[in-house]
Amino acid sequence: MLDLARLRALHAVSVHGSVAGAAAALGYTPSAVSQQIAKLERETRTTLLERRGRGVALTEEARHLADTAQELLAIVERAETTLEERRGQPSGLLRVAAFASAARGLLPGVLADLAHRHPALDVRLTEVDPHLSVDLVARGVTDLAVAHDWDIAPLPAPEGVEQALIGDDLCDLVVPAGHPFTTRGAVRRADLGGQRWVCQPPGRVCHDWLMRTLRTAGLEPDIAHVAEENHTIVALVAAGLGVAVVPRLGTGTLPPGAVAVPLEPGPVRRLYALWRTGAARRPAITETVRTLQDHWPPRRDVPTGPAPQGRHAPTRPAAAERHR
């Protein structure tokens, strides 16, 4: 009899491409995942992982077994969904993946609320790149993901994955204190030429949006500094090293030396919750989605700077109002 936990570990390695990645997704240590795979190899009398440089690769037998594991995990998920649905209360393990600023600016309040109201529900959060989260949901590695898109990069929802809008995250142009833009009520995109920029690395949606937006306006961006985290980007701006477009979520109050000025038209990214269609009836999923919507926009400070004219906080999605 094959052990389901060991099959889950192998499936996670096949999805993430490494033992470390699988461990991070499952909430285990890498050594624990390696032990699970080693036990599975002894049970099946088959070599499942081969060393490739500093990493590992699945053997042909392991890939077939991982595909079977995905089918078995889907069956288990359906059984768990049926049981939870019959109980009528959110319960059991719920694995949630979220991108960095959502994990920092939205999820803490949501998870605390769920823990208070539903003690039988065990929610586990993993911070992941938004480009990866949809695939993790589709493959069954995580139960629910919080992801985002921009107008230039709509969020893909493959077959078997459903999504619901959480809300719109407004973005600000953040400039050093004393910058000429701080005297304006709003800055047009056509006026952004000649600036030194601080932004995320190439391949990130924020970076791609900036490059495409400026080039569409006939401007070639001068990328002076590249950083992963919005807090690092804001710190570089506050030091007078450039300007940046920063989403409000997860940024909070700006430090001294940094001022937020609205762009016209203002950039917006949309946040979504995604889950597998097979788990759509699960109370843990429906309640978590409702709680995400109810907590939007997060209760936090708006970045400091000139008061934007005619700009308001995003309204709560209609779906959330129906649940009130």
Side-chain angles (χ1 to χ4, degrees):
M1 180 73 68
L2 296 177
D3 185 274
L4 188 62
R6 293 164 194 166
L7 290 173
R8 188 186 298 276
L10 178 65
H11 176 251
V13 172
S14 73
V15 171
H16 294 279
S18 69
V19 171
L26 296 173
Y28 300 154
T29 63
S31 62
V33 172
S34 295
Q35 290 172 15
Q36 293 278 47
I37 300 298
K39 291 178 181 178
L40 187 59
E41 287 183 324
R42 290 195 294 271
E43 289 177 348
T44 59
R45 300 177 183 178
T46 304
T47 300
L48 300 175
L49 298 183
E50 296 177 338
R51 288 288 177 186
R52 296 281 179 86
R54 296 183 179 180
V56 296
L58 272 68
T59 63
E60 187 69 23
E61 292 80 3
R63 286 194 290 272
H64 287 297
L65 192 56
D67 290 340
T68 302
Q70 182 169 343
E71 296 175 10
L72 291 174
L73 292 171
I75 294 172
V76 171
E77 179 183 63
R78 290 196 296 272
E80 292 174 340
T81 297
T82 300
L83 288 174
E84 188 179 329
E85 187 179 21
R86 290 177 63 86
R87 296 188 192 105
Q89 294 292 329
S91 61
L93 177 65
L94 184 73
R95 298 161 297 170
V96 177
F99 61 96
S101 55
R104 179 175 57 248
L106 176 61
L107 269 298
V110 170
L111 299 185
D113 189 359
L114 289 170
H116 174 71
R117 293 187 292 109
H118 303 290
L121 179 61
D122 182 12
V123 185
R124 305 293 180 94
L125 172 66
T126 302
E127 183 181 305
V128 300
D129 189 292
H131 289 94
L132 304 177
S133 57
V134 178
D135 186 58
L136 295 182
V137 171
R139 290 173 176 264
V141 178
T142 194
D143 301 305
L144 185 144
V146 177
H148 68 75
D149 69 7
W150 298 61
D151 54 357
I152 67 165
L155 185 66
E159 184 178 356
V161 175
E162 299 181 22
Q163 66 182 36
L165 176 67
I166 298 173
D168 291 343
D169 187 19
L170 301 180
C171 303
D172 296 287
L173 176 67
V174 180
V175 302
H179 192 284
F181 285 164
T182 60
T183 62
R184 300 191 186 184
V187 176
R188 296 178 304 167
R189 297 179 183 181
D191 297 333
L192 295 176
Q195 303 298 318
R196 287 167 60 86
W197 290 90
V198 185
C199 71
Q200 291 184 332
R204 294 294 189 90
V205 179
C206 293
H207 178 280
D208 296 344
W209 179 91
L210 178 66
M211 300 295 287
R212 184 176 300 187
T213 298
L214 294 186
R215 285 173 176 168
T216 300
L219 307 171
E220 185 59 31
D222 178 10
I223 307 299
H225 304 286
V226 175
E228 292 276 356
E229 285 288 333
N230 285 332
H231 279 70
T232 304
I233 291 173
V234 170
L236 291 167
V237 172
L241 299 174
V243 303
V245 173
V246 180
R248 290 185 178 180
L249 179 63
T251 301
T253 303
L254 296 180
V259 178
V261 182
L263 276 170
E264 194 176 81
V268 177
R269 64 177 183 179
R270 312 197 85 184
L271 271 66
Y272 295 90
L274 301 103
W275 62 93
R276 286 180 299 285
T277 301
R281 304 188 320 274
R282 185 181 174 190
I285 295 289
T286 57
E287 180 63 9
T288 300
V289 172
R290 186 189 72 81
T291 305
L292 284 163
Q293 293 171 330
D294 282 351
H295 277 256
W296 188 268
R299 298 179 181 90
R300 59 180 178 80
D301 295 331
V302 175
T304 57
Q309 298 178 355
R311 186 173 65 181
H312 303 280
T315 57
R316 187 185 306 280
E321 293 293 346
R322 291 197 296 270
H323 287 290
R324 280 192 165 277

